[in-house]
Amino acid sequence: MTPVLLAITLTLGITLCYASVCAASPFGNCRKCRGWGFAMKTDRKGRMKRGKDCRRCNATGKRIRLGRWLYNRWARIHRAGTDTPAPQPAHAPASKG
């Protein structure tokens, strides 16, 4: 197998694996709080305490994956561009009388 064909195969395989991960689990752990939803801090005795809520994930501990975010954006743009307007009712001519 030539190096170019090997590189293409590996890139395609990695892309398909990441797409399947994004489809199966669209949310991953927040990178700032590591999925806890808050920061940990220590008190004066060295014991761990709950800190402030994470601002990046709004204390949920989850974030949307980049691939899923891109797919959602693409789908929203596609729907906006291909939606057909609702059919307008045909107006009957006004009767004289």
Side-chain angles (χ1 to χ4, degrees):
M1 190 179 268
T2 64
V4 174
L5 188 58
L6 181 64
I8 291 171
T9 305
L10 287 176
T11 304
L12 185 62
I14 291 170
T15 303
L16 290 176
C17 287
Y18 184 69
S20 64
V21 166
C22 288
S25 176
F27 295 99
N29 288 336
C30 176
R31 291 185 296 266
K32 186 173 183 180
C33 64
R34 297 184 191 101
W36 285 45
F38 53 87
M40 293 296 290
K41 65 180 196 177
T42 57
D43 62 1
R44 293 174 61 175
K45 292 183 180 179
R47 292 182 297 213
M48 297 300 286
K49 282 179 54 172
R50 179 188 169 113
K52 293 182 179 179
D53 288 344
C54 180
R55 294 187 307 170
R56 176 180 272 178
C57 64
N58 294 325
T60 61
K62 296 294 179 184
R63 64 169 178 82
I64 193 160
R65 295 185 194 273
L66 177 66
R68 186 62 183 213
W69 183 85
L70 289 171
Y71 172 76
N72 289 349
R73 177 65 55 101
W74 173 82
R76 189 177 312 123
I77 290 170
H78 180 70
R79 275 193 306 271
T82 58
D83 278 348
T84 57
Q88 299 295 325
H91 294 294
S95 61
K96 294 180 184 176

